[in-house]
Amino acid sequence: MINSSFFDEQKEQSLIKARIVEKYFWAWAKVIIPTAKKAGYPLAYIDLFAGPGRYKDGSKSTPIKVLETAIADPDMRNMLKTLFNDANPEHTGSLQKAIDMIPGIDQLKHKPDVMNFEVGENIVQAFSHLKLIPTLFFVDPWGYKGLSLQLINSVVKKLGL
């Protein structure tokens, strides 16, 4: 499990990581949206190690930044499906509260899903049986167990676009 003080304040490396993911997500979505719209697919963002949404110092973590990016764009507001998971129930409770407080969150067509599961074989099996839509799958498991090649393979498969 992650060090309990990790989410006390956002360190520089976490801030940089969040900015990279936020900017990459935006660039990725802008490339994928035209093809997904034509095919009638929504987009997805999945984070299996999402954390509490905000650091104790108030800084926003990656899930909040991704949702704010989606709210700001009409296509993403209508197309984006999000799944945020964390094994720590305190984190998922805090994340849900942080999501609910985002201005404009009700403008999203698809309400963000927040789950509380240990990442492991059960999630691998669930993903392996799904026909996935175009998905940005963010994996940042520092301090966690559960990341496996089988998990990655379950979400990195042909989309049929």
Side-chain angles (χ1 to χ4, degrees):
M1 197 61 148
I2 203 163
N3 179 329
S4 62
S5 67
F6 180 83
F7 289 106
D8 285 352
E9 68 176 293
Q10 190 173 40
K11 306 282 192 263
E12 183 179 8
Q13 61 268 29
S14 294
L15 177 62
I16 292 168
K17 176 203 70 175
R19 283 184 182 155
I20 290 170
V21 173
E22 179 186 15
K23 288 180 180 191
Y24 184 85
F25 170 69
W26 178 256
W28 171 84
K30 286 301 186 184
V31 169
I32 299 297
I33 284 172
T35 304
K37 277 176 82 170
K38 189 185 290 186
Y41 286 113
L43 303 177
Y45 177 88
I46 298 174
D47 185 344
L48 296 180
F49 306 95
R54 287 190 176 268
Y55 291 81
K56 288 182 183 173
D57 69 0
S59 301
K60 300 171 191 174
S61 66
T62 307
I64 303 305
K65 290 176 178 275
V66 165
L67 290 170
E68 288 175 341
T69 299
I71 291 166
D73 182 81
D75 283 330
M76 281 202 272
R77 275 197 305 264
N78 290 319
M79 296 177 73
L80 185 65
K81 292 184 173 190
T82 53
L83 175 86
F84 302 108
N85 179 70
D86 200 282
N88 182 331
E90 290 178 18
H91 287 179
T92 55
S94 174
L95 176 58
Q96 186 64 63
K97 287 178 187 169
I99 289 171
D100 292 343
M101 293 177 64
I102 298 172
I105 193 68
D106 58 332
Q107 294 177 29
L108 294 177
K109 180 178 179 180
H110 305 283
K111 184 179 191 275
D113 287 320
V114 177
M115 301 183 339
N116 175 233
F117 292 106
E118 186 77 34
V119 174
E121 187 60 32
N122 57 340
I123 290 180
V124 170
Q125 288 303 315
F127 285 148
S128 67
H129 293 354
L130 292 176
K131 181 179 184 216
L132 293 178
I133 58 178
T135 301
L136 182 63
F137 185 63
F138 179 57
V139 181
D140 181 17
W142 182 83
Y144 290 95
K145 61 181 181 175
L147 180 63
S148 68
L149 187 55
Q150 290 81 15
L151 175 59
I152 293 169
N153 283 337
S154 72
V155 296
V156 181
K157 53 188 173 184
K158 185 170 174 31
L159 292 170
L161 288 180

